[in-house]
Amino acid sequence: MIEIRDVSHRYAARDGSGEYWALRGVSLKIESGTFVSLLGPSGCGKTTLLRIANGLIRPSRGEVRIDDKPVTGPSADRAMVFQEFNLLPWRSARRNVEMPLEVLGVAAARRREIAAQRLAQVGLEKFAGFYPHQLSGGMKQRVGLARALAIDPSYLFMDEPFGALDPQIREMMQIELMKLWDEGPLPDQGGAPQRKTVLFVTHSVDEAVFLSDRVIMLGTQPGRVIADLTIDLPRPRWADDEALKRSPAFIAYRNDIWHMLKQELHQSLAAEVSGA
């Protein structure tokens, strides 16, 4: 379980006028094996909260605990997938996937084996020797996902991983992610059979509804939880995604969330105008 306990975080204002609170009093419990999305307007602290939960940022106040242990920094049981591909340009796809395994001291032969398996899972086994400049955007993001999964983490943190992709490729990547999430660990990695715990940042209402067990909506000024919604749609959702997205239940979730999001956006804009 991920427990976020009364987390607040502040940054220095860019104009040197002081500090501002990006997050204020955020508390959440995320059960193991669930897929949870963070959704909200730009500037509501989604990425800050994700990085705090993963141990990349220390909160100004509050704490995060994972499996009842305090999070004080990165860990081998957690992996991050960024919106920017962050691939090393001088390494092939296979060597990029191997990188976290190198850091953990995994033997070279075993690294190559795991990298080959993960690249095959994301459909890139034929591109293992290609370098990032030779890959499309969707391929680069799949390499990034394979790299994150190489260490078979229990917790996967994803910061708008498909935000820079074309709409068609984005939908394909959502389906591929759902398939990988359903599959779980590689058969010979000895991982637990249950699904990974995923915390996913997105701006897309449709993406959040399609992927998630829960959608956490954040408001702005400062970032705070304004809604915690359970998405009760059947799985596997990738089996017939088009029919699912046309279903009355999916449309109702999308409309309800979009209505709340619009209200928050209007309030945020009104606050900016009155403070100008």
Side-chain angles (χ1 to χ4, degrees):
M1 176 186 290
I2 302 173
E3 294 183 82
I4 298 169
R5 300 180 175 178
D6 198 25
V7 162
S8 299
H9 194 71
R10 59 189 174 192
Y11 291 108
R14 292 181 180 179
D15 61 4
S17 60
E19 297 180 328
Y20 72 95
W21 289 97
L23 295 169
R24 179 70 68 85
V26 175
S27 293
L28 291 170
K29 287 185 179 181
I30 299 170
E31 299 292 336
S32 295
T34 59
F35 198 117
V36 177
S37 287
L38 300 176
L39 181 70
S42 296
C44 69
K46 299 184 298 293
T47 294
T48 296
L49 183 59
L50 188 79
R51 290 172 179 257
I52 288 172
N54 192 24
L56 301 180
I57 299 176
R58 295 292 297 271
S60 302
R61 296 178 184 171
E63 68 168 349
V64 176
R65 301 182 74 87
I66 293 181
D67 297 333
D68 206 30
K69 298 176 182 178
V71 173
T72 58
S75 171
D77 68 343
R78 306 191 299 271
M80 186 91 169
V81 180
F82 300 90
Q83 180 175 356
E84 302 82 14
F85 308 122
N86 287 335
L87 301 181
L88 299 179
W90 59 88
R91 283 182 171 236
S92 65
R94 176 179 62 80
R95 294 275 289 144
N96 266 284
V97 175
E98 286 184 26
M99 187 178 64
L101 299 170
E102 288 181 36
V103 174
L104 294 176
V106 177
R110 181 61 177 148
R111 293 200 306 264
R112 287 193 294 272
E113 181 183 7
I114 293 174
Q117 290 172 321
R118 286 306 189 189
L119 285 170
Q121 277 191 301
V122 298
L124 291 179
E125 62 268 33
K126 295 181 180 179
F127 297 88
F130 283 53
Y131 288 84
H133 73 275
Q134 298 173 303
L135 302 173
S136 68
M139 288 178 173
K140 290 177 186 177
Q141 195 56 282
R142 279 189 275 172
V143 174
L145 181 56
R147 180 179 59 190
L149 295 172
I151 59 172
D152 193 28
S154 299
Y155 299 89
L156 191 58
F157 298 83
M158 308 186 76
D159 188 8
E160 292 193 77
F162 311 140
L165 303 178
D166 293 337
Q168 296 86 351
I169 301 299
R170 182 172 186 155
E171 288 192 13
M172 291 175 58
M173 287 301 300
Q174 292 167 6
I175 292 170
E176 290 304 313
L177 175 59
M178 283 288 89
K179 289 180 179 178
L180 289 169
W181 187 63
D182 282 334
E183 287 175 4
L186 294 172
D188 60 349
Q189 278 190 296
Q194 72 173 32
R195 293 161 168 159
K196 298 183 186 304
T197 306
V198 179
L199 190 58
F200 187 98
V201 167
T202 181
H203 278 96
S204 168
V205 174
D206 281 42
E207 185 170 68
V209 173
F210 177 64
L211 296 175
S212 308
D213 297 308
R214 287 167 64 198
V215 174
I216 310 297
M217 290 193 61
L218 299 182
T220 59
Q221 301 178 348
R224 67 207 187 281
V225 176
I226 59 173
D228 184 346
L229 306 169
T230 298
I231 306 299
D232 188 15
L233 293 172
R235 293 190 183 275
R237 296 179 188 167
W238 51 266
D240 192 351
D241 61 300
E242 292 184 6
L244 177 71
K245 292 176 181 178
R246 293 193 302 266
S247 68
F250 186 97
I251 293 170
Y253 282 125
R254 182 183 62 197
N255 290 345
D256 288 347
I257 293 172
W258 179 233
H259 178 70
M260 286 187 285
L261 186 58
K262 281 199 296 185
Q263 284 186 317
E264 183 62 26
L265 285 168
H266 288 320
Q267 292 173 7
S268 177
L269 289 171
E272 288 181 9
V273 170
S274 64

